[in-house]
Amino acid sequence: MDRPRTPIRSLAELAAAEAACTRCPLYRDATQVVPGEGPAKPSLLIVGEQPGDKEDLAGRPFVGPAGRVLDAALEAAGIPRAETFVTNAVKHFKHEMRGKRRLHKKPNAYEIDRCRWWLDLERGLLRPAVVVALGATAARGVVGRPVAIGKMRGTAMPLADGSRLVVTIHPSYLLHIQDREDKRVAYQRFVADLRLAATVLAEGRRPASVA
Ligand code: URA
């Protein structure tokens, strides 16, 4: 199914439509679609790259090792996970077989852009004040063009729908850093990016001061 014939009005309808998606070839080798998860009216939307092996099997986003890093960093940044909606730029697990192992493969621009259609619908339903993009794939999924993470880190970019975008690294990057000190520094920077998202959120909530 390229796109549903009836309008999508709820997250349940969105998940059902995503499950029938054939907009790119990735549905063929995945176990199932992995829809976003979280409250219907979240303040924060966190966008990852694509489901990993564990997520593909569970049908839920960020339940594997990268999810554990994300959970810890959200807590360190003072962001309640219950207030965040977590999703991915690409909703099916892209991988290649190496023996019996399924190795993660980065989605290409075509796959990201085809799946953007679902992410846009998701954002339209959720209307979060702040979107956090975890890595370049997520950022491309949100803005629809390539984004230089290094240049955009530390800023909150206004999006066309009135929300703000904070771009940071993908937590799986931290899992691959071997040097302990490098890992610690990179993690602290990741937490600082999430704190920026929390600050932007708090600023948006604060009532305008009376002159
Ligand atoms: N990495 C992602 O980008 N998303 C997930 O759901 C899990 C790992």
Side-chain angles (χ1 to χ4, degrees):
M1 187 258 307
D2 188 63
R3 54 182 69 197
R5 286 199 198 95
T6 51
I8 290 184
R9 295 197 196 87
S10 69
L11 291 170
E13 285 176 5
L14 180 65
E18 286 170 349
C21 180
T22 57
R23 290 175 62 79
C24 84
L26 294 185
Y27 73 95
R28 290 189 193 137
D29 294 331
T31 307
Q32 57 192 318
V33 79
V34 178
E37 188 177 274
K41 292 280 162 248
S43 37
L44 200 70
L45 170 64
I46 297 180
V47 183
E49 182 194 82
Q50 62 162 351
D53 181 68
K54 296 271 185 304
E55 289 80 13
D56 169 81
L57 296 172
R60 297 179 55 209
F62 284 104
V63 293
R68 284 193 284 282
V69 176
L70 177 62
D71 284 352
L74 284 171
E75 197 179 337
I79 298 173
R81 173 83 194 248
E83 284 180 24
T84 67
F85 191 97
V86 184
T87 194
N88 283 300
V90 171
K91 312 282 193 231
H92 283 107
F93 177 37
K94 181 175 180 179
H95 59 278
E96 66 185 6
M97 297 305 295
R98 191 74 58 81
K100 286 189 179 154
R101 292 181 60 210
R102 303 193 302 169
L103 293 189
H104 163 278
K105 266 189 101 179
K106 236 183 177 8
N108 61 35
Y110 172 78
E111 291 151 355
I112 301 166
D113 294 347
R114 290 293 283 167
C115 215
R116 182 163 189 253
W117 197 73
W118 297 115
L119 184 60
D120 280 351
L121 281 174
E122 206 166 25
R123 286 176 54 205
L125 288 171
L126 298 169
R127 304 207 136 278
V130 177
V131 179
V132 175
L134 304 175
T137 297
R140 184 184 179 118
V142 175
V143 301
R145 59 178 161 75
V147 171
I149 302 294
K151 279 197 193 144
M152 277 194 55
R153 267 186 109 172
T155 67
M157 173 186 163
L159 294 171
D161 66 355
S163 62
R164 310 271 298 277
L165 173 65
V166 172
V167 167
T168 183
I169 53 155
H170 192 283
S172 66
Y173 166 71
L174 298 167
L175 295 170
H176 295 116
I177 302 178
Q178 297 299 324
D179 183 85
R180 267 179 79 159
E181 181 58 11
D182 289 351
K183 200 192 252 306
R184 188 189 67 76
V185 170
Y187 177 73
Q188 289 310 329
R189 222 182 141 199
F190 180 49
V191 172
D193 290 337
L194 296 176
R195 275 204 197 101
L196 169 65
T199 304
V200 175
L201 207 53
E203 278 166 3
R205 278 184 184 147
R206 203 170 296 144
S209 58
V210 180

